[in-house]
Amino acid sequence: LKVYDLNLSEEEVRKVIDYIQDYQNQDVGENYLFLTKNCSYFAAHALEVATGKRIKAKNLPWRVGNKLK
């Protein structure tokens, strides 16, 4: 199990919270795909939205590296 310390600004934390709240209000059942668009995909996407940095790899299968740049 990997644990990452995230050095997010208050604004980035607010963006992650907003993303999660918006996500909860959507009907996302059809968007969830176990092998591609799973829990880690949506968590990475929330961080991308908040930070403006690309985290997800373009090609599948993918995984987050040892360090987030």
Side-chain angles (χ1 to χ4, degrees), residues 52-67:
K53 297 177 184 176
R54 192 173 131 244
I55 296 172
K56 300 184 308 287
K58 289 184 179 181
N59 298 320
L60 296 173
W62 61 273
R63 70 177 187 84
V64 175
N66 291 334
K67 290 187 177 183

Side-chain angles (χ1 to χ4, degrees), residues 10-58:
E10 287 184 31
E11 179 183 354
E12 290 169 334
V13 171
R14 170 85 337 234
K15 287 180 180 179
V16 170
I17 292 169
D18 290 345
Y19 178 90
I20 292 169
Q21 288 175 338
D22 288 343
Y23 184 80
Q24 287 177 328
N25 294 327
Q26 298 175 17
D27 181 19
V28 294
E30 295 178 10
N31 294 331
Y32 186 91
L33 301 170
F34 180 75
L35 294 176
T36 56
K37 289 189 176 179
N38 52 35
C39 300
S40 61
Y41 173 90
F42 289 106
H45 190 257
L47 291 173
E48 287 181 342
V49 169
T51 63
K53 297 177 184 176
R54 192 173 131 244
I55 296 172
K56 300 184 308 287
K58 289 184 179 181

